[in-house]
Amino acid sequence: MKTIFHLDQNELPQRWYNILADLRTPLDPPLHPGTQEPLDPAELEALFPKACIEQETASDRFIDIPDPILEVYRRWRPTPLHRAVHLERLLETPARIYFKYEGASPTGSHKTNTAVAQAYYNAMEGNQRLTTETGAGQWGSALSFACQTFGLECSVFMVRISYDQKPYRKTMIRTFGAEIFASPSEQTEAGRAVLARDPDSPGSLGIAISEAIEAAMRDEATKYSLGSVLNHVLLHQTVTGLEAQKQMEMAGETPNVVIGCVGGGSNYAGIAFPFYREALERDDPTRFVAVEPHACPTLTGGEYRYDFGDTARTTPLLKMHTLGHDFVPPPIHAGGLRYHGMAPIISRLVEDGVIEPLAFSQLAVFKSAVLFARTEGIIPAPETAHAVHAAIELARECATTGEPRVLLIGFSGHGHFDMSAYTAFLNGELAPAHPTNGAFSDQRRSLFC
Amino acid sequence: MKTIFHLDQNELPQRWYNILADLRTPLDPPLHPGTQEPLDPAELEALFPKACIEQETASDRFIDIPDPILEVYRRWRPTPLHRAVHLERLLETPARIYFKYEGASPTGSHKTNTAVAQAYYNAMEGNQRLTTETGAGQWGSALSFACQTFGLECSVFMVRISYDQKPYRKTMIRTFGAEIFASPSEQTEAGRAVLARDPDSPGSLGIAISEAIEAAMRDEATKYSLGSVLNHVLLHQTVTGLEAQKQMEMAGETPNVVIGCVGGGSNYAGIAFPFYREALERDDPTRFVAVEPHACPTLTGGEYRYDFGDTARTTPLLKMHTLGHDFVPPPIHAGGLRYHGMAPIISRLVEDGVIEPLAFSQLAVFKSAVLFARTEGIIPAPETAHAVHAAIELARECATTGEPRVLLIGFSGHGHFDMSAYTAFLNGELAPAHPTNGAFSDQRRSLFC
């Protein structure tokens, strides 16, 4: 039985899919953080290249991927689609479980798809350096690789606690040639101000964003780069779903459920949006399931309203699901899912009833992750493990009902740089990490209801 | 331009290639460690399954791969063949550099190919547990995955210094369900004896082998498993070279030089042996280059004679290149290449002038590894980096001579669990790690001479 579906390199998608052309309800515009009036896109030019700003509001359904980006994608793309037959057998489920494996990228996750695009557009517009923040380190790794590829310098501000706890992720970033600072750092006024108050500050994503933005504003040729949330970032990720469509066709399958984890939303957008369009054309009841941690339940526990993207309230206001820009999630191991907000497009699709959010506790998630590793041989990143867990729950339900559903997981990355989380789990030291108020609990309702 | 060559799963080789059928000079037999007389294969049955013992001396040119092994291989095989065009461009070389990427396996190296076969044969013969030693951890990871797959228990004795320095490799082994002990351990008499003398012993591969063998001898249903050196292990690895042959054909290429690192010799056997046979049929001047560290120069600095496989002199005597069973190499980062001996088949081929050995210092090797990572986006394991370095040296020579040679690297694995070595290199803390007597130096002669 065939279990891996490879596309030939000449089948690499030549265009990204722009879901803005197909949204039932248009997005509410970003607002200026000061005036709270709709933002003039030109105001973003200090931070982002013009090409990306244009993509934020583009109306074309498909956008050509420039050749130099395709050439870099070809170092690892198309990524394989796997069928998890060994997991299926263990679960004794009639469900068929597929996963699109983005762990095959140079830095081990989907993040590279947009990093390469953003680095390219910046290089084309004559910029010389990119700055960014990173928490878990996936994004910092991806951007450092992309900058190296297009001859840009790269400065990464890594949240101090991750910087200290994940020395190997830091080394990967340095191996790809970027400079990396523990944030708060002495490099910026924002960092120095924090250090003056608290020399031992463990840092936060909010502080690191402020530092990266300040460093980017310093000169014309330095720009800032964001790894999720914004429309152009989600656009770049659709290459994964477009490939997966062709691969599911090779397998002779149509997914009944498309599953992915959500932090800022770009991984899930990548796998889901092309299938959303396919379902529109077919008027098909495909289900879209976005999985988040109980500890940071943006979609299942947040409000849909305008909020800032960062703690310091310097970013434009975005209409999105949010737990409040001052929400501090418990220190769970899926660092990539510890964000208070959500991509406006994902939020809109949740409001419109297209995407169904689910939330799980990390203890349940890691149990499923180990089950997956032992059957399929791939150790999922803690973020990815959330999607794996949801798929296993769905497949177990199919075992009860006898329904042969086709499940497709957007497998965002491997866990090779997150083994400390597995150590904690195997040692029985992993906290369930519910939010402190205990308001949320594992959803025990039928997942197929 | 096409840079990745995927084989469809139905092109997975169905047979291993047994080079014993094609050796110019037959191997000298293993000798009993006590009598020093040729060994009766039945004496190995306390340690190994009968199927593997038979493969040690099999004369068939091809040996069928059992279906259950093929089914497990299909979780990640065929692995991709890449062309390193970005590296070629940077080197401005007319050489064309291909690499067969075994980092795509569940545990990130070629070791899984034989681990799966050995676990299968043991399970078929009714054994319930395997024991083994591991240094760098690649082999322990591979065997724990394979045992999990076939429902065997697995006990890994990991050299204490690696156990302490590589917590993530240890966690990977536990994630795949094996038990793991720092060696010397309290689990065996051999371990307890060492601990009684030296409670803080950092351990050694020799001690760990003694512990694993003692643990295997305890009951009938427990066997021992070795990850390199022996003929059957090399046989199982040939699946990589057989795939690479088909993929080079897809690329329209015939390799002029086949390059791989050698520790015990199984990785290099895997990539090289099928091309050796092809060259025999073609009477083609293919070059076979085996790369080892200066710090442990078994082929370039050792003697060809009978020696023990372990420090404690409990294994059969093998005719091979050896630095002496009591040789202790400096603590270089390519732990998988720190072995005093060499596979008897590889040694024979070196004596016959088929395989050319080269040795390099780790400082030069890591410089090339970072160059490779920055151009191709894949961080090589320290062992693999030796082959990468040799290929880069050869490609540079081609840039001088203008010769468009085709180089094929057996890329044994990624370095995700060896980032501490990259940290040391990037911090400028990596020793060249020549042997203390300074007798060996980087070979500056023309590599194509």
Side-chain angles (χ1 to χ4, degrees), chain B residues 38-121:
Chain B
L39 194 75
D40 175 2
E43 293 180 278
L44 293 171
E45 287 178 19
L47 289 181
F48 299 111
K50 292 190 188 70
C52 291
I53 296 169
E54 280 165 24
Q55 290 174 351
E56 275 302 292
T57 53
S59 55
D60 296 338
R61 182 165 286 122
F62 290 98
I63 292 177
D64 287 345
I65 308 178
D67 282 341
I69 296 178
L70 288 174
E71 198 194 330
V72 181
Y73 280 176
R74 279 196 199 96
R75 291 193 211 185
W76 72 94
R77 302 209 73 87
T79 58
L81 177 81
H82 292 248
R83 178 164 168 201
V85 281
H86 306 87
L87 178 62
E88 291 170 17
R89 278 179 212 155
L90 185 91
L91 298 173
E92 296 180 349
T93 178
R96 300 192 290 285
I97 306 172
Y98 293 84
F99 62 98
K100 174 69 171 167
Y101 186 54
E102 287 298 300
S105 92
T107 55
S109 85
H110 67 292
K111 290 284 187 193
T112 330
N113 299 322
T114 185
V116 167
Q118 293 190 47
Y120 166 76
Y121 289 124

Side-chain angles (χ1 to χ4, degrees), chain A residues 71 75 89 171 375 423, chain B residues 8 71 75 89 171 375 423:
Chain A
E71 199 193 329
R75 290 194 212 183
R89 277 178 212 156
T171 297
T375 48
T423 308
Chain B
D8 194 85
E71 198 194 330
R75 291 193 211 185
R89 278 179 212 155
T171 297
T375 48
T423 307

Side-chain angles (χ1 to χ4, degrees), chain B residues 131-385:
Chain B
T131 69
T132 200
E133 71 288 336
T134 198
Q138 290 279 20
W139 171 240
S141 309
L143 195 67
S144 63
F145 164 75
C147 285
Q148 175 68 39
T149 300
F150 288 108
L152 299 173
E153 293 169 59
C154 182
S155 306
V156 178
F157 292 86
M158 188 170 188
V159 176
R160 170 165 287 285
I161 189 160
S162 295
Y163 184 91
D164 291 339
Q165 286 175 349
K166 296 197 168 193
Y168 297 160
R169 185 57 84 176
K170 184 171 68 187
T171 297
M172 182 186 237
I173 291 170
R174 291 174 66 203
T175 299
F176 286 128
E179 61 176 8
I180 181 163
F181 304 105
S183 168
S185 78
E186 294 285 353
Q187 303 293 315
T188 66
E189 275 183 40
R192 287 190 294 269
V194 175
L195 289 173
R197 285 195 306 274
D198 177 8
D200 298 323
S201 165
S204 73
L205 217 43
I207 297 168
I209 292 177
S210 304
E211 289 208 274
I213 289 180
E214 182 185 328
M217 301 293 279
R218 231 174 254 153
D219 64 271
E220 283 283 316
T222 300
K223 301 289 170 192
Y224 168 73
S225 180
L226 192 65
S228 191
V229 178
L230 300 180
N231 301 348
H232 71 275
V233 181
L234 275 57
L235 171 75
H236 302 155
Q237 291 297 348
T238 58
V239 65
T240 68
L242 291 163
E243 285 178 8
Q245 280 185 316
K246 297 188 192 189
Q247 290 165 312
M248 288 300 279
E249 209 171 296
M250 283 170 75
E253 299 273 29
T254 305
N256 297 116
V257 192
V258 179
I259 307 157
C261 63
V262 281
S266 75
N267 163 63
Y268 190 62
I271 190 73
F273 288 1
F275 287 97
Y276 164 81
R277 172 163 165 74
E278 191 178 282
L280 278 184
E281 286 176 349
R282 277 204 329 271
D283 197 24
D284 194 272
T286 304
R287 286 184 56 200
F288 295 95
V289 172
V291 191
E292 61 185 12
H294 258 154
C296 190
T298 313
L299 291 174
T300 55
E303 294 172 16
Y304 183 58
R305 61 175 170 84
Y306 273 104
D307 197 7
F308 296 97
D310 68 334
T311 317
R313 309 199 284 187
T314 56
T315 72
L317 287 151
L318 300 174
K319 184 79 172 284
M320 61 183 178
H321 287 86
T322 176
L323 295 162
H325 58 266
D326 50 1
F327 177 83
V328 180
I332 56 165
H333 284 281
L337 307 184
R338 294 177 73 241
Y339 185 61
H340 70 275
M342 183 56 62
I345 302 180
I346 298 283
S347 290
R348 185 68 259 169
L349 291 169
V350 168
E351 285 302 299
D352 287 351
V354 174
I355 292 176
E356 303 163 56
L358 289 181
F360 296 102
S361 76
Q362 68 173 356
L363 202 51
V365 161
F366 272 91
K367 214 173 284 179
S368 289
V370 168
L371 192 69
F372 187 89
R374 290 185 180 178
T375 48
E376 292 301 318
I378 293 174
I379 299 176
E383 293 82 7
T384 314

Side-chain angles (χ1 to χ4, degrees), chain A residues 408-424:
Chain A
L408 172 62
I409 304 170
F411 197 101
S412 52
H414 63 60
H416 298 174
F417 291 84
D418 305 282
M419 295 306 289
S420 57
Y422 283 86
T423 308

Side-chain angles (χ1 to χ4, degrees), chain A residues 43-282:
Chain A
E43 292 180 278
L44 293 171
E45 286 178 20
L47 289 180
F48 300 111
K50 292 189 188 69
C52 292
I53 297 169
E54 280 165 24
Q55 289 174 351
E56 276 301 292
T57 53
S59 55
D60 296 338
R61 183 165 286 124
F62 290 98
I63 293 177
D64 286 346
I65 308 177
D67 283 341
I69 295 177
L70 288 173
E71 199 193 329
V72 181
Y73 279 176
R74 280 195 199 96
R75 290 194 212 183
W76 72 95
R77 307 209 69 88
T79 59
L81 177 81
H82 291 249
R83 179 165 167 199
V85 280
H86 306 87
L87 177 62
E88 291 170 17
R89 277 178 212 156
L90 184 92
L91 298 174
E92 297 181 349
T93 178
R96 300 192 291 283
I97 307 172
Y98 292 84
F99 62 98
K100 174 69 170 166
Y101 186 54
E102 288 298 299
S105 92
T107 55
S109 84
H110 67 293
K111 290 284 186 193
T112 330
N113 298 322
T114 185
V116 167
Q118 292 189 48
Y120 167 75
Y121 289 124
N122 273 288
M124 281 304 95
E125 296 184 21
N127 297 315
Q128 286 162 19
R129 175 187 291 274
L130 291 183
T131 70
T132 199
E133 71 288 335
T134 197
Q138 289 279 21
W139 172 240
S141 310
L143 195 67
S144 63
F145 163 75
C147 284
Q148 175 67 39
T149 301
F150 288 108
L152 299 173
E153 293 169 59
C154 183
S155 306
V156 178
F157 292 87
M158 187 169 188
V159 175
R160 171 166 285 285
I161 189 161
S162 295
Y163 184 93
D164 291 338
Q165 285 175 351
K166 297 198 169 190
Y168 296 161
R169 185 57 85 174
K170 183 171 70 188
T171 297
M172 181 185 236
I173 290 170
R174 291 175 66 203
T175 300
F176 287 127
E179 61 175 8
I180 181 164
F181 305 106
S183 168
S185 76
E186 294 285 351
Q187 302 294 315
T188 65
E189 275 183 41
R192 288 190 293 272
V194 176
L195 289 173
R197 285 196 307 273
D198 176 9
D200 298 324
S201 165
S204 73
L205 217 43
I207 297 168
I209 292 177
S210 303
E211 290 208 274
I213 290 180
E214 182 185 327
M217 301 293 280
R218 233 175 252 152
D219 64 89
E220 283 283 314
T222 300
K223 300 288 171 192
Y224 167 74
S225 179
L226 193 65
S228 190
V229 178
L230 299 180
N231 301 348
H232 71 274
V233 181
L234 276 57
L235 171 76
H236 302 154
Q237 291 298 348
T238 58
V239 65
T240 69
L242 291 163
E243 285 178 8
Q245 279 184 317
K246 296 188 191 188
Q247 291 164 310
M248 289 298 282
E249 209 171 297
M250 283 170 74
E253 300 274 28
T254 304
N256 297 114
V257 192
V258 180
I259 306 157
C261 63
V262 281
S266 75
N267 163 63
Y268 190 61
I271 190 72
F273 288 2
F275 287 97
Y276 164 82
R277 172 163 162 73
E278 190 178 283
L280 278 184
E281 285 175 348
R282 279 205 326 271

